[in-house]
Amino acid sequence: MDASAASVSALRAAHERFVTSSPGLAQGVRPLVADSWARCTACGVLPDGGALPPLRQTPGDLASYRRGHPLAASLPLLRDLLGTGAADDGHVFAIGDTDGTLLWVEGDSAALRRAERMRFVEGARWSERLAGTNAPGTALELGRAVQIVAGEHYSAAVHGWSCAAAPVRDLRTGRLLGVVDLSGGASIATPPALAAVRAAALAVEAELARMPGSSVAASDAVRLRALGRDSVLLEDAGRSRRLSPRHSEIVVALALEGRGVTGDRLAVGLSEQEIPPSTLRAELTRLRAVLGPDLLGSRPYALLRPVRTDYDEVAELLAEGRVDEALARYPGPLLPRSEAPLVEEHRRSLEQQLRGAVLAGGSVGPLRRWVASAWGADDVSAWAALARTLPAGSPQRAAAAARALDLRGAGVPQAKKHAAVLQRCRS
């Protein structure tokens, strides 16, 4: 997402139009934001920043509450995955409970002082209905990772910030445990920031599942395999089922959403063209006949049991810095033939996250595997990195450098390269 000065100005103008129109009409913003603004208006949240989020607990009460919270055990992991980077980059990271109360807020000292002025502090309650549209509150409201940029915040007091947040769940029960968040400047308004918080949440869920005596377990979860495949392979209780391409998109969309979704929102995630409600209902009825009523619920639509996916597993490995293993577990893009907007968004996000880790690692093995793949064959930066990493005088180094030079000379735009990659994966 571009957080340029022009786009920031456009978002603030959209917010101003919404605030001054009667009734408020959200134009020029994403559907996710428009829906959130409508909920905030219904709850009576003040859009001018005149009211700050309330403090739920005193410092003494908060300390006791935090010690018994399920996410307390994962605080060292989250500090390692998000906290260090936040402090270095001038941002803050936060962990909240299920009602949006911030339990830990840490990071850059100057950013923390700025955050205090809008009461983004430990003990403050940043639920959407109290603080307006914001990443942790809206992520809890929707049950999935979200990114809120500058003027997309409902409260004008937060327009100087961008944030990305993801919910954390108990893998066995699906119960919501809390939320993790990154807040700061323009670099938070990027796909890598959203991928980072989502991967951190997945890593926490996996860590909790491995803890001795934990009530969190993944043994009874349904497994979805959707990487490098045109259709999902669903594994449940020792039985495997291959879903149709459309059913695959629906199941992946529901797994990514995390919590129940309305038919309207599911339709937006599945197609840029309007899907008639009757068509979607008929497709979901057919899918329920395949999956069974114990797995697919309605009103709202949801997967009723915990789901583990191969794309989540790759993201978890990346979050833990295990790049070689993540690359080995990545057989290709997420449902490469799908043109569903939600699938495309997460396909790009995971690919960018994996590519960034391979380039940042600078190791010969991962770089070789990346450029040998269909999705990395035209990656000029990866070929150049491989050439720099190989020993001087090596014929392979010369070949890699020549390939990078050829790609630069060809001048193929990145968008066309990405389209060509998907075409190779689809063929």
CSV table of all heavy atoms in Angstrom, one decimal, residues 1-14 28 149-152 189:
chain,number,residue,atom,x,y,z
A,1,MET,N,0.8,-1.2,0.0
A,1,MET,CA,0.0,0.0,0.0
A,1,MET,C,0.9,1.2,0.0
A,1,MET,O,1.8,1.3,0.8
A,1,MET,CB,-0.9,0.0,1.2
A,1,MET,CG,-1.9,1.1,1.3
A,1,MET,SD,-2.9,1.1,2.8
A,1,MET,CE,-3.7,-0.5,2.5
A,2,ASP,N,0.6,2.2,-0.9
A,2,ASP,CA,1.4,3.4,-1.0
A,2,ASP,C,1.0,4.4,0.1
A,2,ASP,O,-0.2,4.8,0.1
A,2,ASP,CB,1.2,4.0,-2.4
A,2,ASP,CG,2.1,5.2,-2.6
A,2,ASP,OD1,2.9,5.5,-1.8
A,2,ASP,OD2,2.0,5.8,-3.7
A,3,ALA,N,1.9,4.9,0.9
A,3,ALA,CA,1.6,5.9,1.9
A,3,ALA,C,2.3,7.2,1.5
A,3,ALA,O,2.8,7.9,2.4
A,3,ALA,CB,2.1,5.4,3.3
A,4,SER,N,2.3,7.5,0.3
A,4,SER,CA,2.9,8.8,-0.2
A,4,SER,C,2.1,10.0,0.3
A,4,SER,O,1.0,9.8,0.8
A,4,SER,CB,2.9,8.8,-1.7
A,4,SER,OG,1.6,8.9,-2.2
A,5,ALA,N,2.7,11.1,0.2
A,5,ALA,CA,2.0,12.3,0.7
A,5,ALA,C,0.7,12.5,0.0
A,5,ALA,O,-0.3,13.0,0.6
A,5,ALA,CB,2.9,13.6,0.5
A,6,ALA,N,0.7,12.2,-1.3
A,6,ALA,CA,-0.6,12.4,-2.0
A,6,ALA,C,-1.7,11.5,-1.5
A,6,ALA,O,-2.8,11.9,-1.3
A,6,ALA,CB,-0.3,12.2,-3.5
A,7,SER,N,-1.4,10.2,-1.3
A,7,SER,CA,-2.4,9.3,-0.8
A,7,SER,C,-2.8,9.7,0.6
A,7,SER,O,-4.0,9.5,1.0
A,7,SER,CB,-1.9,7.9,-0.9
A,7,SER,OG,-0.8,7.7,0.0
A,8,VAL,N,-1.9,10.1,1.5
A,8,VAL,CA,-2.2,10.5,2.8
A,8,VAL,C,-3.2,11.7,2.8
A,8,VAL,O,-4.2,11.7,3.5
A,8,VAL,CB,-1.0,10.8,3.6
A,8,VAL,CG1,-1.3,11.5,4.9
A,8,VAL,CG2,-0.2,9.6,3.9
A,9,SER,N,-2.9,12.6,1.9
A,9,SER,CA,-3.8,13.8,1.8
A,9,SER,C,-5.2,13.4,1.3
A,9,SER,O,-6.2,13.9,1.8
A,9,SER,CB,-3.1,14.8,0.8
A,9,SER,OG,-4.0,15.9,0.6
A,10,ALA,N,-5.2,12.4,0.3
A,10,ALA,CA,-6.5,12.0,-0.2
A,10,ALA,C,-7.3,11.3,0.9
A,10,ALA,O,-8.5,11.5,1.0
A,10,ALA,CB,-6.3,11.0,-1.3
A,11,LEU,N,-6.7,10.5,1.8
A,11,LEU,CA,-7.4,9.8,2.9
A,11,LEU,C,-7.9,10.9,3.9
A,11,LEU,O,-9.1,10.7,4.3
A,11,LEU,CB,-6.4,8.9,3.6
A,11,LEU,CG,-6.1,7.6,2.8
A,11,LEU,CD1,-5.0,6.8,3.6
A,11,LEU,CD2,-7.3,6.7,2.6
A,12,ARG,N,-7.1,11.9,4.2
A,12,ARG,CA,-7.6,12.9,5.1
A,12,ARG,C,-8.8,13.6,4.5
A,12,ARG,O,-9.8,14.0,5.2
A,12,ARG,CB,-6.5,13.8,5.5
A,12,ARG,CG,-5.5,13.2,6.4
A,12,ARG,CD,-4.4,14.1,6.8
A,12,ARG,NE,-3.5,13.5,7.8
A,12,ARG,CZ,-2.3,13.9,8.1
A,12,ARG,NH1,-1.8,15.0,7.5
A,12,ARG,NH2,-1.6,13.3,9.1
A,13,ALA,N,-8.8,13.9,3.2
A,13,ALA,CA,-9.9,14.5,2.5
A,13,ALA,C,-11.1,13.7,2.6
A,13,ALA,O,-12.3,14.2,2.8
A,13,ALA,CB,-9.5,14.9,1.1
A,14,ALA,N,-10.9,12.4,2.4
A,14,ALA,CA,-12.1,11.4,2.4
A,14,ALA,C,-12.7,11.4,3.8
A,14,ALA,O,-13.9,11.4,4.0
A,14,ALA,CB,-11.6,10.0,2.0
A,28,GLY,N,-14.0,7.0,-1.4
A,28,GLY,CA,-12.6,7.2,-1.6
A,28,GLY,C,-11.8,6.4,-0.6
A,28,GLY,O,-10.6,6.6,-0.4
A,149,VAL,N,-4.1,2.9,7.6
A,149,VAL,CA,-3.1,3.8,7.2
A,149,VAL,C,-3.6,5.3,7.4
A,149,VAL,O,-4.7,5.6,7.0
A,149,VAL,CB,-2.8,3.7,5.7
A,149,VAL,CG1,-1.8,4.7,5.2
A,149,VAL,CG2,-2.3,2.3,5.4
A,150,ALA,N,-2.9,6.0,8.2
A,150,ALA,CA,-3.0,7.5,8.3
A,150,ALA,C,-4.5,7.9,8.4
A,150,ALA,O,-5.2,7.5,9.4
A,150,ALA,CB,-2.4,8.2,7.1
A,151,GLY,N,-5.1,8.6,7.4
A,151,GLY,CA,-6.4,9.1,7.5
A,151,GLY,C,-7.5,8.0,7.5
A,151,GLY,O,-8.7,8.4,7.6
A,152,GLU,N,-7.2,6.7,7.4
A,152,GLU,CA,-8.2,5.7,7.5
A,152,GLU,C,-8.6,5.5,8.9
A,152,GLU,O,-9.7,4.9,9.2
A,152,GLU,CB,-7.6,4.3,7.0
A,152,GLU,CG,-7.4,4.3,5.5
A,152,GLU,CD,-6.9,3.0,5.0
A,152,GLU,OE1,-6.3,2.2,5.8
A,152,GLU,OE2,-7.1,2.6,3.8
A,189,ALA,N,2.9,1.2,6.6
A,189,ALA,CA,1.8,1.2,5.6
A,189,ALA,C,2.3,0.4,4.4
A,189,ALA,O,2.1,0.8,3.3
A,189,ALA,CB,1.4,2.6,5.2
